[in-house]
Short mmCIF file of all heavy atoms in Angstrom, two decimals:
data_model
loop_
_atom_site.label_atom_id
_atom_site.label_comp_id
_atom_site.label_asym_id
_atom_site.label_seq_id
_atom_site.Cartn_x
_atom_site.Cartn_y
_atom_site.Cartn_z
N CYS A 10 128.19 39.74 177.27
CA CYS A 10 129.33 39.24 178.03
C CYS A 10 130.33 38.70 177.02
O CYS A 10 129.98 38.37 175.89
CB CYS A 10 128.91 38.14 179.01
SG CYS A 10 128.30 36.64 178.21
N VAL A 12 133.39 35.85 176.28
CA VAL A 12 133.99 34.60 176.71
C VAL A 12 135.10 34.25 175.75
O VAL A 12 134.88 34.20 174.54
CB VAL A 12 132.95 33.45 176.74
CG1 VAL A 12 133.61 32.17 177.21
CG2 VAL A 12 131.79 33.82 177.64
N ILE A 14 137.76 31.49 174.42
CA ILE A 14 138.01 30.06 174.43
C ILE A 14 139.29 29.80 173.66
O ILE A 14 139.39 30.13 172.49
CB ILE A 14 136.84 29.28 173.80
CG1 ILE A 14 135.54 29.58 174.56
CG2 ILE A 14 137.13 27.79 173.80
CD1 ILE A 14 134.33 28.92 173.93
N LEU A 25 133.74 35.28 171.89
CA LEU A 25 132.32 35.20 171.62
C LEU A 25 131.61 36.33 172.35
O LEU A 25 131.84 36.55 173.53
CB LEU A 25 131.74 33.86 172.11
CG LEU A 25 132.37 32.60 171.51
CD1 LEU A 25 131.69 31.37 172.09
CD2 LEU A 25 132.23 32.61 170.00
N HIS A 26 130.74 37.05 171.65
CA HIS A 26 129.92 38.10 172.25
C HIS A 26 128.51 37.55 172.38
O HIS A 26 127.86 37.27 171.38
CB HIS A 26 129.91 39.34 171.35
CG HIS A 26 131.25 39.99 171.24
ND1 HIS A 26 131.62 41.07 171.98
CD2 HIS A 26 132.32 39.65 170.47
CE1 HIS A 26 132.86 41.41 171.66
NE2 HIS A 26 133.30 40.56 170.75
N LEU A 27 128.06 37.36 173.61
CA LEU A 27 126.76 36.78 173.83
C LEU A 27 125.88 37.72 174.64
O LEU A 27 126.37 38.46 175.50
CB LEU A 27 126.88 35.45 174.59
CG LEU A 27 127.75 34.39 173.90
CD1 LEU A 27 127.87 33.17 174.79
CD2 LEU A 27 127.14 34.00 172.57
N PRO A 28 124.55 37.71 174.39
CA PRO A 28 123.65 38.54 175.18
C PRO A 28 123.76 38.21 176.65
O PRO A 28 124.00 37.07 177.03
CB PRO A 28 122.27 38.18 174.62
CG PRO A 28 122.54 37.68 173.25
CD PRO A 28 123.87 36.99 173.34
N SER A 30 121.62 37.78 178.80
CA SER A 30 120.62 36.87 179.30
C SER A 30 120.98 35.40 179.07
O SER A 30 120.23 34.51 179.43
CB SER A 30 119.27 37.15 178.65
OG SER A 30 119.36 37.00 177.26
N TYR A 31 122.15 35.14 178.44
CA TYR A 31 122.57 33.77 178.21
C TYR A 31 123.57 33.35 179.29
O TYR A 31 124.31 34.18 179.81
CB TYR A 31 123.26 33.63 176.84
CG TYR A 31 122.32 33.63 175.68
CD1 TYR A 31 121.84 34.82 175.14
CD2 TYR A 31 121.90 32.44 175.11
CE1 TYR A 31 120.96 34.82 174.07
CE2 TYR A 31 121.04 32.42 174.03
CZ TYR A 31 120.58 33.61 173.52
OH TYR A 31 119.72 33.61 172.45
N SER A 32 123.58 32.05 179.56
CA SER A 32 124.63 31.52 180.43
C SER A 32 125.43 30.51 179.66
O SER A 32 124.93 29.83 178.78
CB SER A 32 124.01 30.86 181.67
OG SER A 32 123.14 29.81 181.30
N ILE A 33 126.71 30.40 179.99
CA ILE A 33 127.61 29.48 179.30
C ILE A 33 127.85 28.27 180.18
O ILE A 33 128.23 28.40 181.33
CB ILE A 33 128.95 30.16 178.98
CG1 ILE A 33 128.71 31.43 178.19
CG2 ILE A 33 129.88 29.22 178.21
CD1 ILE A 33 128.00 31.23 176.90
N HIS A 34 127.62 27.09 179.65
CA HIS A 34 127.84 25.85 180.38
C HIS A 34 128.98 25.11 179.72
O HIS A 34 128.87 24.71 178.56
CB HIS A 34 126.57 25.00 180.37
CG HIS A 34 125.40 25.69 181.02
ND1 HIS A 34 125.11 25.56 182.34
CD2 HIS A 34 124.48 26.54 180.50
CE1 HIS A 34 124.02 26.28 182.63
NE2 HIS A 34 123.64 26.90 181.52
N CYS A 35 130.10 24.96 180.40
CA CYS A 35 131.27 24.29 179.83
C CYS A 35 131.49 22.97 180.54
O CYS A 35 131.65 22.94 181.76
CB CYS A 35 132.52 25.15 179.95
SG CYS A 35 132.43 26.66 178.98
N VAL A 60 132.93 20.93 175.33
CA VAL A 60 131.58 20.99 174.80
C VAL A 60 130.94 22.22 175.40
O VAL A 60 130.71 22.28 176.59
CB VAL A 60 130.76 19.73 175.17
CG1 VAL A 60 129.35 19.83 174.58
CG2 VAL A 60 131.47 18.48 174.68
N CYS A 61 130.70 23.19 174.58
CA CYS A 61 130.20 24.46 175.07
C CYS A 61 128.86 24.74 174.43
O CYS A 61 128.78 24.81 173.22
CB CYS A 61 131.20 25.57 174.73
SG CYS A 61 131.00 27.04 175.72
N ARG A 62 127.83 24.86 175.23
CA ARG A 62 126.50 25.11 174.70
C ARG A 62 125.90 26.33 175.38
O ARG A 62 126.22 26.68 176.50
CB ARG A 62 125.58 23.90 174.90
CG ARG A 62 126.10 22.65 174.20
CD ARG A 62 125.07 21.53 174.29
NE ARG A 62 123.91 21.80 173.50
CZ ARG A 62 123.84 21.58 172.21
NH1 ARG A 62 124.87 21.14 171.55
NH2 ARG A 62 122.73 21.84 171.55
N VAL A 63 125.02 26.96 174.65
CA VAL A 63 124.36 28.15 175.16
C VAL A 63 122.96 27.77 175.55
O VAL A 63 122.24 27.17 174.78
CB VAL A 63 124.31 29.24 174.07
CG1 VAL A 63 123.61 30.48 174.59
CG2 VAL A 63 125.72 29.56 173.61
N LYS A 64 122.56 28.15 176.75
CA LYS A 64 121.22 27.80 177.23
C LYS A 64 120.50 29.07 177.64
O LYS A 64 120.97 29.82 178.48
CB LYS A 64 121.31 26.84 178.41
CG LYS A 64 119.94 26.36 178.90
CD LYS A 64 120.10 25.32 179.98
CE LYS A 64 118.75 24.81 180.43
NZ LYS A 64 118.87 23.81 181.50
N ARG A 65 119.36 29.29 177.07
CA ARG A 65 118.56 30.45 177.42
C ARG A 65 117.95 30.21 178.80
O ARG A 65 117.33 29.20 179.06
CB ARG A 65 117.46 30.68 176.38
CG ARG A 65 116.76 32.01 176.55
CD ARG A 65 115.67 32.18 175.50
NE ARG A 65 116.21 32.22 174.15
CZ ARG A 65 116.63 33.34 173.58
NH1 ARG A 65 116.56 34.49 174.22
NH2 ARG A 65 117.11 33.32 172.36
N GLU A 66 118.12 31.16 179.71
CA GLU A 66 117.73 30.96 181.08
C GLU A 66 116.22 30.85 181.25
O GLU A 66 115.74 30.27 182.21
CB GLU A 66 118.26 32.11 181.95
CG GLU A 66 119.79 32.08 182.04
CD GLU A 66 120.33 33.22 182.87
OE1 GLU A 66 119.56 34.18 183.11
OE2 GLU A 66 121.48 33.15 183.28
N SER A 68 114.11 29.33 179.15
CA SER A 68 113.53 28.21 178.41
C SER A 68 114.47 27.04 178.50
O SER A 68 115.58 27.13 179.01
CB SER A 68 113.30 28.59 176.95
OG SER A 68 114.53 28.63 176.26
N ASN A 69 114.00 25.91 177.99
CA ASN A 69 114.82 24.70 178.00
C ASN A 69 115.53 24.47 176.68
O ASN A 69 116.18 23.45 176.49
CB ASN A 69 113.94 23.48 178.32
CG ASN A 69 113.39 23.53 179.73
OD1 ASN A 69 114.08 23.98 180.64
ND2 ASN A 69 112.15 23.07 179.91
N GLN A 70 115.38 25.41 175.75
CA GLN A 70 115.99 25.24 174.44
C GLN A 70 117.48 25.57 174.51
O GLN A 70 117.89 26.48 175.22
CB GLN A 70 115.32 26.14 173.42
CG GLN A 70 113.86 25.78 173.17
CD GLN A 70 113.23 26.72 172.17
OE1 GLN A 70 113.76 27.79 171.90
NE2 GLN A 70 112.10 26.32 171.63
N THR A 71 118.27 24.81 173.77
CA THR A 71 119.70 25.07 173.68
C THR A 71 120.09 25.22 172.24
O THR A 71 119.44 24.71 171.33
CB THR A 71 120.52 23.92 174.31
OG1 THR A 71 120.24 22.73 173.60
CG2 THR A 71 120.20 23.77 175.78
N ALA A 72 121.19 25.95 172.02
CA ALA A 72 121.72 26.13 170.66
C ALA A 72 123.22 26.10 170.71
O ALA A 72 123.82 26.55 171.65
CB ALA A 72 121.24 27.46 170.08
N ASP A 73 123.84 25.55 169.69
CA ASP A 73 125.30 25.51 169.63
C ASP A 73 125.85 26.92 169.60
O ASP A 73 125.28 27.82 169.00
CB ASP A 73 125.77 24.76 168.38
CG ASP A 73 125.46 23.28 168.46
OD1 ASP A 73 125.44 22.74 169.59
OD2 ASP A 73 125.22 22.70 167.40
N VAL A 74 127.00 27.11 170.26
CA VAL A 74 127.65 28.41 170.27
C VAL A 74 127.93 28.88 168.85
O VAL A 74 127.81 30.05 168.53
CB VAL A 74 128.96 28.35 171.09
CG1 VAL A 74 129.78 29.61 170.88
CG2 VAL A 74 128.64 28.19 172.58
N GLU A 75 128.27 27.93 167.96
CA GLU A 75 128.59 28.29 166.59
C GLU A 75 127.40 28.95 165.91
O GLU A 75 127.56 29.71 164.96
CB GLU A 75 129.02 27.05 165.80
CG GLU A 75 130.31 26.41 166.30
CD GLU A 75 131.51 27.30 166.08
OE1 GLU A 75 131.43 28.21 165.24
OE2 GLU A 75 132.52 27.07 166.74
N SER A 76 126.17 28.65 166.35
CA SER A 76 124.99 29.19 165.70
C SER A 76 124.61 30.57 166.22
O SER A 76 123.68 31.19 165.71
CB SER A 76 123.80 28.24 165.89
OG SER A 76 123.39 28.24 167.24
N VAL A 77 125.30 31.04 167.28
CA VAL A 77 124.97 32.35 167.84
C VAL A 77 125.65 33.42 167.01
O VAL A 77 126.86 33.46 166.90
CB VAL A 77 125.44 32.44 169.31
CG1 VAL A 77 125.15 33.83 169.85
CG2 VAL A 77 124.75 31.39 170.15
N SER A 78 124.88 34.29 166.40
CA SER A 78 125.45 35.36 165.58
C SER A 78 125.03 36.70 166.14
O SER A 78 123.96 36.84 166.73
CB SER A 78 124.98 35.23 164.13
OG SER A 78 123.58 35.34 164.07
#
Side-chain angles (χ1 to χ4, degrees):
C10 65
V12 180
I14 302 176
L25 302 180
H26 295 262
L27 302 176
S30 60
Y31 284 83
S32 59
I33 305 301
H34 299 269
C35 294
V60 181
C61 200
R62 299 187 69 82
V63 180
K64 184 175 182 181
R65 191 181 296 273
E66 293 179 344
S68 73
N69 293 324
Q70 295 179 343
T71 61
D73 291 330
V74 169
E75 295 293 341
S76 69
V77 177
S78 61

